[in-house]
Amino acid sequence: MCRDVGNPARCEAGGVGGVFWAGLGDAIPDHIRSSSPPGPAGRSFLRKILGTSSTSLPRACVRYQGGSQDSSVQPSSSRHGQSQLRNVASSGAIKKHQKSLSAWFSHQPNEERQFGPSFSLDAVHVDPVIRESSLEEILKPSPDLTIQNQLQQPSRRVISLHNLFDVDACGRQVKNVVLYGTVGTGKSTLIKKMVVDWCHGRLPRFELVIPFSCEDLSHSHAHVSLRRLITKKYQHLRDVVPVLEASNLKVLFILNGLERLNLDFRLAGTELCCDPNEPVPPSAIVVNLLRKYLLPEASIIVTTRPSAVRRIPAKYVGRYAEICGFSDTNLQKLYFQMRLSQPGCTGEESQPRSPAEQENLVEMLSRNLERHNQITAACFLPSYCWLVCTTLHFLYFTRTVPPSQTLTGIYTSFLRLNFSGEVLDSTDPTHISMMKYVAKTVGKLAYEGVMSRKICFSEEDLRQCFEVEMKTESELNLLEVFRSDVFRFFLSPCVQPGKEHTFVFTIPAMQEYLAALYVVLGEKKSLAQRVGKELSEVIGKVSEDVAVVVNIISKVLPLRFLPVLFNLLKIFPRYFSRLSRKDKDAIAHTMAEELFKEEDYYNDDVLDQINSSILGVEGPMRHPDEAPDDEVFELFPIFMGGILSRRNRAILEQLGCSIKNLAAFEIAKAMKKTVIRKGHKGLPPSELMDYLFFLHEFQNERFTAEAVRSLRTVNLSSVKMTPLKCSVLASVMSTTCHDVEELNLTSCNLDSGSLRTLFPVLLRCKALHLQLNSLGSDACKEIRDLLLHDKCVVSSLRLANNPVGEQGARYLAEALAGNRSLTQLSLLHTALGDPGAEAIAQRLPENRHLQELNLGYNSLTDAAALHVVEVAKGHETLDKVHLYFNDISEDGKRALDSLRMDRDGVRALVFLTAGTDVSDYWSHILNVVQRNLPFWDRERVRQHLALLLQDLESSRSQTANPWRKAKFLRVESEVKKMLGKLQDGTL
């Protein structure tokens, strides 16, 4: 089965068999390095960044080194062999082989293509740290897993990939190399890069490279010769294989994923074989190649997980090398710098971001790494660096509607790329998949942490989750393999002072993902439920056969009560299946309870939380003695919904975690009673954004349509609407075509691009709040197109506190002339000036529906204000114009005060007075001032309030009516109170 399930064409590239390299790629394509070999300066830079010197301690010599040969006794090639080699080279067979391998190994998985063509493996790459090791170091107990131990690696020699076959400390030529590392360190990616380097002439040590996947070999049970095995996988080498021994060709065999093969090096288990033409089991070919009994001059590199290193006797290994990932934080920074600064990182479908934005992203991430936060420990594994970059790409560069992927999809694909359905231990008879084991054990730990709001776990917590139910030797062996190979992928030492000996999930969101997977897979069962399920399966299999036998016997013997008894037994599985439906109700109930927790109502939305966890929070660091904030797990229910989507279920099926269609259907059905019902009530803006994101992650259009249909009012004020959030909102709302009564996007960091993304949604909104968004003339051009659209239903538009300016006013004036739905338009504090007001007044007579126009706080003078009012007097429907806080003189005030609604058909709101009486709109004007004071120039507001107070006192002195005087005094006290608070800084 091809590893890249999303691209079957990959299985046919370059004449390589479809199942051949199924095992390559268990690590993410996550390294970036210059494709050209480094010069002296480059080598000096690498030594500097890796913290190594040109000298190193010699490796201890061993008495017998079967995998090494003395460099002085290498046999020379015969003249006949050299002639054959020239014939082979001239035939071009090896060049064709290089071409097909390059096409195959340069191919990136679908998940990598989102970054654009600049991220091909051959173009850029960062090598992880490789340290020379020994079997003694592998077998000895590991030190305490703390962040200090990870940052301060033992003084083992750092060795480059191309120097793995250099002579050892005793001067012997190394022939067999075992390259090992835990899941996620980049073993397979490193091998892919090695093959690509050879194809492009950057590995001159070897004249022929032949890679094999041990997973592929493990599925082959028929006897086959080495010659047939090579030609079966590589057609171009059929002319080369017959002369492999005679030509003395420098051959490198690559055996990727040795843990998937069960090798037996005993002579009784695997007989000796030196004939490349003799058919033997594939495992015997591997054993005899490593024994150096078959093609003794060939070099071999084996990649494996730590638990399988001991399967090869030490005498057959010339060098052990451990992939340590990015144990140097400089490599992490280099990776992120190159990955996020590339021109293609925004994706082919995205609009390009400015270099300054990309540099700012890299700078924030680098600062967070320098603080040695938890992300530093996570990024020791190159695969997690890939996850960080992919998540940032999703958060910052998503502009398509609907978004091309989901956050749950990123995490599910991440696990597929790292685990790909591998079994935990190939020697175990249960053949449990690695991911299934993780879901049952680590998922339980994650779930219990979420339920108790805990992110740090002690050794006792781990023991409770992993060891409490261990009863058999097989279970203990699986646990040992998990600890050796997989544990550090999911759990890492905590970096908080005082908690160094506790563990946290490598990435915080991974805890919530695994907890969600644990629940959705139905692993959260009581003892009675587990026993009932097992008993149901046993009775269901046995009862039918037994019932048939008893029915036959009952015809001969008078035992007529027995068929009745066994028919009753057949009822039990059906009864249990009904009870199991209650489990689905419980899953839906858990999802709803976690999604709408009131104590989480006023947190940031989940997308901002993820962003902060990666880039950190700017500002002073928390004091160690300060009480920490409560942990938030708002991604947990969102991941539960995302895992139920069809695409994620299909990927999880490949990982051995099956979620049946019927189970997903029953959970979705139960969710309608819980999630949708709770979603009807009013939610705070950040919680509503989470709810919309949950609907996007769920990827169920019918369910989403039913949920959205009840959302008549959408309030997202103060939510930072990134391009991703705008895309999510547009995608979710597009599942229905109902009109939205009100959409509040006040202070949401919108721009013209945001308005373009939201255009289909804005068309259906009757009341549209766009205040405080820095919308300039470009955005006004989008708003013009919106208002002129024949399907626009916007009746109230608020654009207060946006830098609309004169040009923006011209676009809006053009929109007013042709719009037929707008009745209220607020342009309060939009920097119109007289030219902007004149532009609106010029096109206002063409409008037939506007009823209220707010031009307050726009520096209008008498001429512009009076012109607007004169036009308004002749308008059919416009009856109210707001002109307060403008630069209107006393003469202008008197002219505006003379307007009468019954005579002129329009009312101008300018001051708090109306002649010798208090204006009916005085409280409205003061409320507008109070609401907008944080965004206005306080000195200018103080001056205007002083003028209003002066006007109130003057008008009060002109009236003799005691009732009116009392009203004036009341309003004066409110203005004085506001002035006092303004001067004290309490307002």
Side-chain angles (χ1 to χ4, degrees):
M1 177 177 173
C2 180
R3 188 88 180 227
D4 193 353
V5 296
N7 185 13
R10 184 181 178 191
C11 301
E12 302 170 3
V16 185
V19 297
F20 158 64
W21 200 250
L24 188 62
D26 72 331
I28 306 298
D30 45 29
H31 316 307
I32 302 177
R33 183 172 67 90
S34 173
S35 57
S36 58
R43 286 191 293 271
S44 174
F45 170 73
L46 286 176
R47 282 197 299 270
K48 181 179 178 182
I49 202 168
L50 292 173
T52 59
S53 61
S54 57
T55 60
S56 60
L57 294 174
R59 194 167 164 270
C61 298
V62 293
R63 185 172 59 85
Y64 175 68
Q65 190 75 23
S68 304
Q69 295 182 2
D70 196 307
S71 57
S72 62
V73 295
Q74 295 184 36
S76 60
S77 303
S78 65
R79 187 172 303 173
H80 176 67
Q82 292 292 348
S83 175
Q84 286 182 315
L85 178 58
R86 282 194 296 271
N87 292 336
V88 169
S90 63
S91 69
I94 293 181
K95 290 184 179 179
K96 290 181 181 179
H97 177 60
Q98 287 177 324
K99 185 177 179 180
S100 64
L101 279 185
S102 177
W104 176 263
F105 284 92
S106 298
H107 195 93
Q108 301 285 26
N110 290 333
E111 289 80 2
E112 188 72 4
R113 294 176 195 167
Q114 62 185 301
F115 294 107
S118 60
F119 290 101
S120 63
L121 189 64
D122 184 48
V124 282
H125 179 77
V126 170
D127 280 333
V129 174
I130 304 175
R131 296 183 185 274
E132 191 166 2
S133 182
S134 66
L135 188 62
E136 292 76 16
E137 290 179 353
I138 298 170
L139 296 179
K140 74 179 180 181
S142 59
D144 290 340
L145 185 60
T146 62
I147 192 70
Q148 288 77 13
N149 285 331
Q150 285 191 332
L151 287 171
Q152 300 171 1
Q153 288 284 340
S155 56
R156 290 181 289 159
R157 185 168 75 97
V158 174
I159 188 169
S160 71
L161 182 67
H162 291 182
N163 294 329
L164 288 175
F165 290 93
D166 289 352
V167 295
D168 62 13
C170 298
R172 296 176 176 175
Q173 184 66 47
V174 172
K175 287 293 184 180
N176 291 352
V177 173
V178 172
L179 187 65
Y180 70 94
T182 59
V183 173
T185 49
K187 301 182 294 296
S188 294
T189 304
L190 203 60
I191 292 301
K192 288 172 71 176
K193 185 62 175 63
M194 186 178 192
V195 172
V196 171
D197 281 351
W198 175 75
C199 293
H200 292 197
R202 295 191 290 268
L203 195 65
R205 181 191 295 268
F206 301 107
E207 295 164 319
L208 179 61
V209 171
I210 304 176
F212 283 115
S213 164
C214 292
E215 180 185 21
D216 181 26
L217 297 178
S218 69
H219 294 314
S220 176
H221 303 292
H223 287 214
V224 64
S225 66
L226 176 61
R227 177 177 179 178
R228 173 61 184 147
L229 186 63
I230 295 174
T231 55
K232 181 180 176 183
K233 307 300 180 183
Y234 303 103
Q235 302 175 22
H236 304 299
L237 297 182
R238 55 181 175 269
D239 296 330
V240 179
V241 173
V243 295
L244 275 181
E245 286 187 294
S247 64
N248 197 26
L249 204 64
K250 295 178 181 178
V251 181
L252 172 65
F253 285 97
I254 297 176
L255 302 173
N256 187 60
L258 184 76
E259 67 276 357
R260 302 176 193 185
L261 272 179
N262 293 326
L263 303 181
D264 189 351
F265 280 82
R266 299 172 305 164
L267 289 177
T270 304
E271 63 179 351
L272 296 174
C273 174
C274 62
D275 184 2
N277 299 310
E278 182 180 348
V280 293
S283 59
I285 293 177
V286 173
V287 168
N288 282 290
L289 282 172
L290 290 169
R291 284 171 172 167
K292 292 304 171 193
Y293 206 75
L294 184 62
L295 297 185
E297 295 302 316
S299 300
I300 301 172
I301 184 168
V302 174
T303 68
T304 184
R305 301 199 305 257
S307 64
V309 169
R310 287 170 289 182
R311 295 184 188 178
I312 305 177
K315 63 182 180 180
Y316 299 129
V317 180
R319 173 171 284 128
Y320 292 96
E322 180 184 8
I323 303 180
C324 300
F326 294 157
S327 55
D328 189 331
T329 53
N330 288 321
L331 289 181
Q332 299 175 13
K333 292 180 185 179
L334 180 62
Y335 177 93
F336 291 126
Q337 175 71 34
M338 300 181 73
R339 169 70 74 166
L340 295 173
S341 299
Q342 288 291 323
C345 78
T346 56
E348 295 180 1
E349 298 180 359
S350 302
Q351 295 179 356
R353 307 277 289 189
S354 68
E357 289 177 287
Q358 291 176 287
E359 289 175 9
N360 183 56
L361 201 62
V362 174
E363 180 62 27
M364 291 178 67
L365 186 54
S366 296
R367 284 202 298 268
N368 205 23
L369 290 171
E370 289 168 1
R371 298 188 191 108
H372 290 307
N373 283 345
Q374 202 63 54
I375 191 174
T376 310
C379 291
F380 287 157
L381 295 176
S383 56
Y384 273 100
C385 293
W386 180 90
L387 180 61
V388 167
C389 285
T390 307
T391 305
L392 287 176
H393 181 272
F394 177 66
L395 293 176
Y396 282 88
F397 305 132
T398 297
R399 283 170 171 76
T400 57
V401 180
S404 57
Q405 58 183 310
T406 64
L407 185 67
T408 314
I410 289 174
Y411 275 75
T412 307
S413 298
F414 170 68
L415 294 174
R416 180 183 72 83
L417 288 163
N418 281 279
F419 294 96
S420 187
E422 291 182 44
V423 296
L424 182 60
D425 184 4
S426 61
T427 63
D428 186 78
T430 62
H431 291 289
I432 185 172
S433 77
M434 198 181 298
M435 199 60 229
K436 180 69 172 179
Y437 186 88
V438 168
K440 291 167 68 73
T441 54
V442 187
K444 179 183 177 183
L445 181 72
Y447 174 75
E448 292 180 355
V450 168
M451 290 297 102
S452 59
R453 299 224 161 195
K454 183 166 76 171
I455 62 170
C456 294
F457 302 93
S458 65
E459 290 281 359
E460 182 59 29
D461 295 327
L462 300 181
R463 193 174 298 109
Q464 287 294 322
C465 279
F466 292 106
E467 298 180 10
V468 70
E469 296 182 3
M470 295 294 166
K471 299 176 182 177
T472 66
E473 182 73 16
S474 174
E475 289 174 335
L476 290 173
N477 289 339
L478 288 175
L479 178 60
E480 187 62 31
V481 172
F482 170 79
R483 282 175 169 166
S484 173
D485 298 348
V486 190
F487 179 85
R488 296 189 186 193
F489 184 84
F490 291 105
L491 292 159
S492 62
C494 183
V495 300
Q496 294 182 25
K499 296 183 179 180
E500 291 85 356
H501 295 283
T502 61
F503 297 90
V504 296
F505 278 83
T506 311
I507 291 285
M510 185 59 76
Q511 178 179 353
E512 298 176 79
Y513 181 93
L514 292 178
L517 184 61
Y518 176 76
V519 174
V520 174
L521 285 175
E523 296 295 337
K524 187 178 76 72
K525 290 185 176 71
S526 65
L527 179 61
Q529 287 174 320
R530 288 197 294 269
V531 172
K533 182 180 179 182
E534 293 173 2
L535 186 61
S536 171
E537 290 174 353
V538 171
I539 293 176
K541 292 175 182 177
V542 173
S543 60
E544 291 185 8
D545 296 334
V546 174
V548 170
V549 173
V550 171
N551 282 330
I552 295 172
I553 295 175
S554 65
K555 293 177 180 179
V556 180
L557 300 175
L559 302 174
R560 299 190 180 278
F561 69 92
L562 289 178
V564 176
L565 176 62
F566 282 98
N567 282 331
L568 288 174
L569 287 176
K570 290 166 65 176
I571 293 174
F572 183 78
R574 291 197 294 270
Y575 176 72
F576 183 79
S577 67
R578 291 181 183 177
L579 290 178
S580 67
R581 289 193 191 122
K582 293 186 177 180
D583 294 344
K584 312 301 186 294
D585 293 342
I587 292 173
H589 179 74
T590 300
M591 201 179 304
E593 288 296 319
E594 294 296 321
L595 189 60
F596 300 110
K597 269 191 173 180
E598 292 190 6
E599 56 262 41
D600 295 336
Y601 268 13
Y602 299 99
N603 299 323
D604 291 339
D605 64 79
V606 292
L607 293 174
D608 283 349
Q609 291 175 28
I610 295 170
N611 184 66
S612 298
S613 71
I614 295 175
L615 298 181
V617 179
E618 296 297 318
M621 297 184 67
R622 184 189 298 276
H623 192 275
D625 297 333
E626 187 178 346
D629 296 331
D630 290 337
E631 300 300 336
V632 178
F633 297 98
E634 293 182 271
L635 267 175
F636 169 55
I638 293 173
F639 277 143
M640 287 177 70
I643 287 171
L644 288 170
S645 71
R646 186 182 297 274
R647 179 180 181 274
N648 286 319
R649 284 190 287 118
I651 296 176
L652 287 168
E653 180 76 32
Q654 301 167 26
L655 297 176
C657 299
S658 177
I659 304 170
K660 302 299 182 185
N661 287 333
L662 181 60
F665 173 77
E666 290 177 347
I667 295 173
K669 186 177 178 181
M671 284 167 57
K672 291 183 179 180
K673 305 173 187 176
T674 54
V675 174
I676 294 180
R677 177 168 51 82
K678 291 197 173 188
H680 286 173
K681 62 182 182 180
L683 297 172
S686 62
E687 198 70 14
L688 178 58
M689 187 67 239
D690 289 347
Y691 182 45
L692 295 172
F693 188 59
F694 166 81
L695 295 174
H696 164 68
E697 292 285 312
F698 191 34
Q699 296 285 290
N700 186 321
E701 191 168 334
R702 291 178 60 187
F703 182 92
T704 301
E706 188 170 342
V708 169
R709 203 171 288 116
S710 62
L711 294 177
R712 297 291 175 177
T713 299
V714 179
N715 180 11
L716 295 173
S717 60
S718 300
V719 173
K720 185 179 179 181
M721 293 299 291
T722 61
L724 171 61
K725 294 176 190 175
C726 291
S727 299
V728 168
L729 175 59
S731 173
V732 169
M733 297 299 290
S734 68
T735 55
T736 69
C737 56
H738 76 284
D739 289 346
V740 179
E741 295 295 329
E742 181 180 354
L743 176 60
N744 190 342
L745 296 174
T746 301
S747 188
C748 289
N749 292 88
L750 300 180
D751 56 19
S752 57
S754 306
L755 297 181
R756 277 193 296 272
T757 301
L758 295 171
F759 193 91
V761 180
L762 303 181
L763 281 175
R764 296 154 41 199
C765 298
K766 294 181 180 178
L768 187 55
H769 300 265
L770 299 176
Q771 305 98 299
L772 293 163
N773 278 297
S774 301
L775 300 177
S777 58
D778 290 342
C780 289
K781 191 174 181 181
E782 300 295 330
I783 295 172
R784 176 201 64 183
D785 297 340
L786 171 73
L787 294 175
L788 292 177
H789 198 282
D790 57 355
K791 293 184 179 179
C792 177
V793 299
V794 177
S795 60
S796 176
L797 175 60
R798 298 183 180 276
L799 287 169
N801 300 304
N802 283 297
V804 171
E806 179 184 350
Q807 184 57 48
R810 296 188 185 280
Y811 288 130
L812 295 177
E814 186 180 345
L816 282 175
N819 178 266
R820 291 176 292 181
S821 63
L822 196 64
T823 58
Q824 293 179 321
L825 175 62
S826 174
L827 295 174
L828 175 70
H829 192 223
T830 50
L832 298 182
D834 284 354
E838 293 285 356
I840 289 175
Q842 185 178 359
R843 304 297 298 268
L844 197 55
E846 301 175 51
N847 180 276
R848 295 290 182 271
H849 304 279
L850 194 64
Q851 298 174 9
E852 184 176 353
L853 177 63
N854 191 335
L855 299 178
Y857 204 155
N858 275 296
S859 303
L860 304 188
T861 60
D862 293 358
L866 290 172
H867 184 199
V868 171
V869 171
E870 284 299 321
V871 173
K873 287 165 65 175
H875 196 281
E876 295 179 11
T877 57
L878 184 59
D879 59 10
K880 194 182 298 179
V881 180
H882 300 250
L883 293 170
Y884 39 80
F885 274 60
N886 280 303
D887 301 332
I888 299 174
S889 66
E890 282 295 322
D891 292 339
K893 175 183 177 298
R894 282 193 291 272
L896 294 172
D897 279 346
S898 65
L899 293 173
R900 294 290 181 270
M901 186 67 190
D902 53 352
R903 184 189 66 201
D904 302 306
V906 65
R907 184 185 299 277
L909 280 61
V910 185
F911 288 91
L912 302 181
T913 61
T916 58
D917 198 358
V918 175
S919 170
D920 294 337
Y921 298 96
W922 70 269
S923 61
H924 171 78
I925 295 174
L926 290 182
N927 283 335
V928 169
V929 174
Q930 191 158 3
R931 284 199 308 269
N932 292 280
L933 189 59
F935 322 109
W936 289 358
D937 181 354
R938 286 177 172 261
E939 179 58 28
R940 187 170 179 183
V941 171
R942 190 190 64 77
Q943 293 173 5
H944 275 284
L945 287 176
L947 289 175
L948 291 177
L949 183 60
Q950 225 174 28
D951 181 63
L952 285 168
E953 292 171 346
S954 174
S955 298
R956 176 167 55 83
S957 65
Q958 295 175 18
T959 182
N961 188 319
W963 174 247
R964 288 185 179 179
K965 283 184 178 289
K967 287 171 65 178
F968 275 116
L969 289 171
R970 180 191 172 193
V971 178
E972 286 175 31
S973 68
E974 291 293 332
V975 175
K976 288 178 181 178
K977 190 186 299 182
M978 192 176 289
L979 272 171
K981 289 183 178 180
L982 189 60
Q983 290 173 351
D984 296 340
T986 57
L987 187 63

